[in-house]
mmCIF file of all heavy atoms in Angstrom:
data_model
loop_
_atom_site.group_PDB
_atom_site.id
_atom_site.type_symbol
_atom_site.label_atom_id
_atom_site.label_comp_id
_atom_site.label_asym_id
_atom_site.label_seq_id
_atom_site.Cartn_x
_atom_site.Cartn_y
_atom_site.Cartn_z
ATOM 1 N N VAL H 58 -111.492 102.740 72.349
ATOM 2 C CA VAL H 58 -111.518 102.618 73.805
ATOM 3 C C VAL H 58 -112.754 101.830 74.213
ATOM 4 O O VAL H 58 -113.882 102.304 74.104
ATOM 5 C CB VAL H 58 -111.523 104.014 74.468
ATOM 6 C CG1 VAL H 58 -111.605 103.865 75.994
ATOM 7 C CG2 VAL H 58 -110.279 104.807 74.074
ATOM 8 N N GLU H 85 -82.517 111.145 95.382
ATOM 9 C CA GLU H 85 -81.149 110.778 95.748
ATOM 10 C C GLU H 85 -80.356 112.009 96.172
ATOM 11 O O GLU H 85 -79.397 111.899 96.934
ATOM 12 C CB GLU H 85 -80.451 110.082 94.570
ATOM 13 C CG GLU H 85 -80.989 108.681 94.290
ATOM 14 C CD GLU H 85 -80.288 108.016 93.133
ATOM 15 O OE1 GLU H 85 -79.380 108.654 92.548
ATOM 16 O OE2 GLU H 85 -80.636 106.858 92.794
ATOM 17 N N TRP H 91 -86.167 111.408 102.880
ATOM 18 C CA TRP H 91 -87.378 111.878 102.223
ATOM 19 C C TRP H 91 -88.565 111.137 102.829
ATOM 20 O O TRP H 91 -88.559 109.912 102.916
ATOM 21 C CB TRP H 91 -87.329 111.614 100.724
ATOM 22 C CG TRP H 91 -88.568 112.079 100.010
ATOM 23 C CD1 TRP H 91 -88.777 113.295 99.435
ATOM 24 C CD2 TRP H 91 -89.793 111.349 99.824
ATOM 25 N NE1 TRP H 91 -90.044 113.366 98.904
ATOM 26 C CE2 TRP H 91 -90.701 112.184 99.137
ATOM 27 C CE3 TRP H 91 -90.214 110.072 100.185
ATOM 28 C CZ2 TRP H 91 -91.976 111.787 98.789
ATOM 29 C CZ3 TRP H 91 -91.497 109.667 99.852
ATOM 30 C CH2 TRP H 91 -92.363 110.525 99.154
ATOM 31 N N ASP H 97 -104.373 116.222 105.188
ATOM 32 C CA ASP H 97 -105.526 116.214 106.078
ATOM 33 C C ASP H 97 -106.636 115.391 105.458
ATOM 34 O O ASP H 97 -106.875 115.450 104.249
ATOM 35 C CB ASP H 97 -106.000 117.649 106.321
ATOM 36 C CG ASP H 97 -107.090 117.726 107.372
ATOM 37 O OD1 ASP H 97 -108.271 117.614 106.997
ATOM 38 O OD2 ASP H 97 -106.759 117.886 108.553
ATOM 39 N N ALA H 127 -93.807 96.961 91.094
ATOM 40 C CA ALA H 127 -94.278 96.253 92.285
ATOM 41 C C ALA H 127 -95.183 97.149 93.113
ATOM 42 O O ALA H 127 -96.200 96.701 93.654
ATOM 43 C CB ALA H 127 -93.084 95.789 93.122
ATOM 44 N N LEU H 131 -99.105 96.339 93.898
ATOM 45 C CA LEU H 131 -99.571 96.276 95.285
ATOM 46 C C LEU H 131 -100.714 97.253 95.522
ATOM 47 O O LEU H 131 -101.725 96.916 96.158
ATOM 48 C CB LEU H 131 -98.413 96.587 96.238
ATOM 49 C CG LEU H 131 -98.702 96.403 97.729
ATOM 50 C CD1 LEU H 131 -98.945 94.934 98.057
ATOM 51 C CD2 LEU H 131 -97.551 96.955 98.574
ATOM 52 N N VAL H 132 -100.582 98.476 95.011
ATOM 53 C CA VAL H 132 -101.620 99.493 95.188
ATOM 54 C C VAL H 132 -102.922 99.045 94.521
ATOM 55 O O VAL H 132 -104.002 99.114 95.124
ATOM 56 C CB VAL H 132 -101.158 100.847 94.608
ATOM 57 C CG1 VAL H 132 -102.332 101.812 94.462
ATOM 58 C CG2 VAL H 132 -100.081 101.469 95.500
ATOM 59 N N TRP H 209 -87.038 109.045 111.643
ATOM 60 C CA TRP H 209 -86.687 109.717 110.388
ATOM 61 C C TRP H 209 -87.198 111.149 110.478
ATOM 62 O O TRP H 209 -88.353 111.374 110.875
ATOM 63 C CB TRP H 209 -87.344 109.046 109.188
ATOM 64 C CG TRP H 209 -86.919 107.642 108.919
ATOM 65 C CD1 TRP H 209 -85.923 107.218 108.084
ATOM 66 C CD2 TRP H 209 -87.510 106.435 109.449
ATOM 67 N NE1 TRP H 209 -85.857 105.847 108.066
ATOM 68 C CE2 TRP H 209 -86.819 105.336 108.901
ATOM 69 C CE3 TRP H 209 -88.556 106.186 110.353
ATOM 70 C CZ2 TRP H 209 -87.131 104.016 109.214
ATOM 71 C CZ3 TRP H 209 -88.873 104.880 110.672
ATOM 72 C CH2 TRP H 209 -88.176 103.807 110.113
ATOM 73 N N SER H 218 -83.102 119.791 110.933
ATOM 74 C CA SER H 218 -83.600 118.466 111.281
ATOM 75 C C SER H 218 -82.442 117.487 111.143
ATOM 76 O O SER H 218 -81.402 117.813 110.562
ATOM 77 C CB SER H 218 -84.766 118.058 110.377
ATOM 78 O OG SER H 218 -84.331 117.927 109.035
ATOM 79 N N ALA H 238 -84.052 121.568 124.828
ATOM 80 C CA ALA H 238 -83.123 122.588 125.320
ATOM 81 C C ALA H 238 -83.188 123.851 124.464
ATOM 82 O O ALA H 238 -83.242 124.974 124.987
ATOM 83 C CB ALA H 238 -81.702 122.029 125.345
ATOM 84 N N PRO H 260 -104.363 108.861 113.218
ATOM 85 C CA PRO H 260 -103.931 109.855 114.202
ATOM 86 C C PRO H 260 -102.435 110.133 114.089
ATOM 87 O O PRO H 260 -101.638 109.235 113.796
ATOM 88 C CB PRO H 260 -104.265 109.197 115.546
ATOM 89 C CG PRO H 260 -105.222 108.107 115.235
ATOM 90 C CD PRO H 260 -104.869 107.635 113.857
ATOM 91 N N LEU H 273 -95.627 114.712 113.569
ATOM 92 C CA LEU H 273 -94.907 113.573 114.136
ATOM 93 C C LEU H 273 -95.827 112.351 114.069
ATOM 94 O O LEU H 273 -96.903 112.349 114.664
ATOM 95 C CB LEU H 273 -94.515 113.876 115.584
ATOM 96 C CG LEU H 273 -93.525 112.947 116.269
ATOM 97 C CD1 LEU H 273 -92.175 112.986 115.550
ATOM 98 C CD2 LEU H 273 -93.342 113.351 117.732
ATOM 99 N N ILE H 283 -93.617 102.058 120.466
ATOM 100 C CA ILE H 283 -93.402 102.803 119.225
ATOM 101 C C ILE H 283 -92.120 102.295 118.569
ATOM 102 O O ILE H 283 -91.040 102.389 119.143
ATOM 103 C CB ILE H 283 -93.313 104.314 119.503
ATOM 104 C CG1 ILE H 283 -94.654 104.819 120.051
ATOM 105 C CG2 ILE H 283 -92.944 105.062 118.231
ATOM 106 C CD1 ILE H 283 -94.603 106.244 120.565
ATOM 107 N N HIS H 284 -92.265 101.747 117.374
ATOM 108 C CA HIS H 284 -91.117 101.182 116.662
ATOM 109 C C HIS H 284 -90.532 102.169 115.652
ATOM 110 O O HIS H 284 -89.387 101.998 115.226
ATOM 111 C CB HIS H 284 -91.523 99.893 115.956
ATOM 112 C CG HIS H 284 -91.824 98.766 116.893
ATOM 113 N ND1 HIS H 284 -91.000 97.680 117.050
ATOM 114 C CD2 HIS H 284 -92.857 98.574 117.755
ATOM 115 C CE1 HIS H 284 -91.510 96.853 117.947
ATOM 116 N NE2 HIS H 284 -92.644 97.370 118.393
ATOM 117 N N SER H 290 -90.958 117.987 108.839
ATOM 118 C CA SER H 290 -90.729 119.381 109.223
ATOM 119 C C SER H 290 -90.673 120.318 108.029
ATOM 120 O O SER H 290 -90.813 121.537 108.201
ATOM 121 C CB SER H 290 -89.403 119.488 110.007
ATOM 122 O OG SER H 290 -89.345 118.556 111.051
ATOM 123 N N PRO H 292 -91.604 122.693 105.569
ATOM 124 C CA PRO H 292 -92.858 123.466 105.468
ATOM 125 C C PRO H 292 -93.574 123.301 104.135
ATOM 126 O O PRO H 292 -94.797 123.441 104.071
ATOM 127 C CB PRO H 292 -92.396 124.915 105.689
ATOM 128 C CG PRO H 292 -90.932 124.915 105.418
ATOM 129 C CD PRO H 292 -90.431 123.561 105.795
ATOM 130 N N ARG H 297 -101.000 120.988 103.350
ATOM 131 C CA ARG H 297 -102.288 120.294 103.263
ATOM 132 C C ARG H 297 -102.668 119.639 104.588
ATOM 133 O O ARG H 297 -103.430 118.685 104.624
ATOM 134 C CB ARG H 297 -102.255 119.255 102.143
ATOM 135 C CG ARG H 297 -102.131 119.881 100.746
ATOM 136 C CD ARG H 297 -102.108 118.807 99.668
ATOM 137 N NE ARG H 297 -102.176 119.388 98.336
ATOM 138 C CZ ARG H 297 -101.120 119.773 97.626
ATOM 139 N NH1 ARG H 297 -99.911 119.664 98.128
ATOM 140 N NH2 ARG H 297 -101.262 120.294 96.415
#
Side-chain angles (χ1 to χ4, degrees):
V58 178
E85 289 180 0
W91 180 92
D97 187 271
L131 187 66
V132 166
W209 296 267
S218 65
L273 192 63
I283 296 171
H284 291 252
S290 309
R297 294 180 172 88

